[in-house]
Amino acid sequence: MTNPAGRRVTANLSLSLDGRYHGPGGPSDFGAFAPYVITEVARNHMNRIWEGATTALLGRINAEGFMGFWPSVAADENADPRDRGYAKWLVDTEKVVLSATLTEAPWERTRVVNAPAADVVTDLKATGAGDILVNSSPSVIKPLLSADLLDRLYLMICPEITGGGQRLFDDGLPASRWTLTHQETGELGEIAMVYDRVR
């Protein structure tokens, strides 16, 4: 059997100071994050997340949002080169979308899987090469944290307290230790951090 430790599983998410990935208004409440996601630090951070990745693992809602937005950026010669680089990568890379409702993939180089995130990642790790990036999909990141299957966390901390919304780190997660391998602070107080799991 192929060594399942061969592929790294990485995840990217922006969080408020109180650890939330959206505000009290629900999943579309990103007001606390908007000023920070287009900064130099955020754009450099976005470039970092996909450099070694060959597979994008997404939840359905994120996939629909991303694929409705990023392909036009890939084609826009006036877009920031970092945004364009990520957009081209997303369009061209293998995408696996976790969904119980989609029956077929509406995007190229995409397959839809109706299975638990941990099972899908275990299968992906056993084949292929390159990082598996779970990009801004908490519905996928959370079960992978619970199963201790994440090897790297790319976190963007925004200097605002939302006071409501969903938290990334729920009580009851398995204890784990992480090493800070990169940190960059922006002019607005946003911090990009890369943490690697110590095993």
Side-chain angles (χ1 to χ4, degrees):
M1 182 177 163
T2 306
N3 178 5
R7 298 188 77 182
R8 196 167 51 174
V9 184
T10 69
N12 170 58
L13 201 61
S14 293
L15 298 175
S16 63
L17 275 182
D18 50 343
R20 303 174 195 275
Y21 51 85
H22 64 69
S28 62
D29 182 356
F30 291 113
F33 303 92
Y36 310 101
V37 296
I38 54 170
T39 64
E40 289 296 300
V41 165
R43 283 191 157 120
N44 291 338
H45 189 62
M46 187 168 71
N47 242 25
R48 204 173 293 117
I49 69 173
W50 62 267
E51 282 174 336
T54 55
T55 302
L57 182 58
L58 299 158
R60 176 188 60 81
I61 293 170
N62 272 75
E64 289 174 343
F66 283 11
M67 298 314 290
F69 175 76
W70 287 108
S72 63
V73 176
D76 181 359
E77 293 180 9
N78 297 315
D80 184 289
R82 293 163 295 186
D83 292 355
R84 203 163 176 215
Y86 167 74
K88 285 181 169 180
W89 171 82
L90 183 65
V91 169
D92 293 341
T93 201
E94 172 195 30
K95 291 169 284 293
V96 178
V97 177
L98 299 183
S99 175
T101 56
L102 283 178
T103 52
E104 59 183 50
W107 314 286
E108 292 182 355
R109 289 174 283 285
T110 307
R111 59 192 170 98
V112 176
V113 181
N114 182 4
D119 295 350
V120 173
V121 161
T122 300
D123 289 345
L124 286 170
K125 281 183 65 126
T127 58
D131 290 355
I132 301 159
L133 169 64
V134 186
N135 195 1
S136 300
S137 292
S139 64
V140 182
I141 297 171
K142 290 175 101 166
L144 295 181
L145 279 171
S146 293
D148 196 16
L149 284 171
L150 288 177
D151 302 305
R152 171 170 280 186
L153 283 170
Y154 295 98
L155 297 177
M156 186 82 188
I157 307 301
C158 303
E160 300 204 15
I161 292 173
T162 63
Q166 292 290 313
R167 294 182 190 274
L168 175 61
F169 300 108
D170 295 324
D171 287 346
L173 288 173
S176 57
R177 192 160 62 88
W178 300 76
T179 299
L180 182 67
T181 56
H182 183 87
Q183 176 184 336
E184 190 176 356
T185 305
E187 292 179 3
L188 300 177
E190 74 279 17
I191 306 175
M193 297 181 293
V194 181
Y195 280 102
D196 284 341
R197 175 77 170 92
V198 178
R199 297 195 186 278

